[in-house]
Amino acid sequence: MSKSSKMANIVNYRLRVTLSDSRVLTGQMLAFDKYMNLVLADCEEFRKVKQKSKDGKSKEGAKLQDVKRTLGLVILRGETIVSISIDGPPPPSSDDRSRSNMMAGPGMGRPMGRGLPAAPPMGAVPGLQGPVRGVGGPAPGMMAPPVAYGGRPPPPGMRPPPPGMGMRPPPPGMGPPPGFRPPPPGFRPPPPGYRPPPPPGQ
């Protein structure tokens, strides 16, 4: 097993790191790199200091006193690290705490797949039987060619009139203009391209 894979297995663990100047740091390892530079969170420093006398000078036979200092987030240079040991497991995350506080529901876990007969198909799932009218395509009226000019398509290069600009029936209560005679029954308009005959004598 390589060094990087060993370190990857202890990410988020609480470590105890000894430095070359005999200081000891403890903290949660968040990251590392190939140079063994470490990122420690909630880091605390422990170092041993000789007790000083009243006049401010340290005695040679004085006892060493452990001094603790809180550092917080620390980046350690890999070349200053002498040894690394695991101080504790990773702290429980908030997700683990919330899951442990959740009450169990009335459901039941059952194995699925191998060893159990598959349920027979009860027909196609709704929505997969085929195309549904009015869903997934344009309306039938949108696919018809535009109609204008008395039922004929517009000439080439001419756009059809916008919707609502065609001939509209007169509003209710408004009759034909004075002197207007409606066409007789069975009257048909002349076909397209019809030219009336010239008046007599021409």
Side-chain angles (χ1 to χ4, degrees):
M1 183 179 286
S2 65
K3 185 189 296 184
S4 61
S5 61
K6 287 180 182 177
M7 294 296 292
N9 290 335
I10 59 174
V11 171
N12 293 330
Y13 275 72
R14 191 157 185 86
L15 302 183
R16 180 178 295 270
V17 182
T18 305
L19 303 182
S20 57
D21 58 358
S22 74
R23 286 183 298 163
V24 177
L25 301 180
T26 62
Q28 181 185 2
M29 184 182 71
L30 300 182
F32 69 97
D33 63 3
K34 63 180 180 179
Y35 303 108
M36 289 303 294
N37 298 324
L38 300 182
V39 180
L40 298 180
D42 302 327
C43 188
E44 294 176 341
E45 177 194 66
F46 299 92
R47 56 194 175 104
K48 294 184 178 181
V49 179
K50 290 182 180 180
Q51 291 181 348
K52 293 183 179 180
S53 60
K54 294 180 181 178
D55 58 357
K57 295 181 180 179
S58 58
K59 299 179 182 179
E60 293 183 2
K63 294 182 180 179
L64 296 176
Q65 182 182 5
D66 288 335
V67 178
K68 175 183 174 183
R69 186 170 60 156
T70 302
L71 301 179
L73 186 66
V74 172
I75 299 176
L76 286 179
R77 192 170 176 84
E79 62 186 17
T80 63
I81 296 175
V82 175
S83 68
I84 299 174
S85 61
I86 296 177
D87 195 42
S93 63
S94 58
D95 294 341
D96 297 338
R97 292 174 187 169
S98 60
R99 287 174 187 168
S100 62
N101 294 336
M102 289 173 62
M103 298 292 294
M108 228 175 130
R110 294 183 180 177
M112 188 170 179
R114 297 179 181 174
L116 293 177
M122 301 299 293
V125 180
L128 299 179
Q129 296 106 340
V132 180
R133 182 180 179 87
V135 176
M142 293 179 68
M143 298 300 291
V147 177
Y149 306 102
R152 301 187 314 272
M158 190 170 195
R159 297 181 181 176
M165 289 295 292
M167 295 295 292
R168 297 182 181 177
M174 183 175 179
F180 176 78
R181 294 183 180 179
F187 175 79
R188 296 182 181 176
Y194 172 77
R195 294 184 179 179
Q202 289 186 359

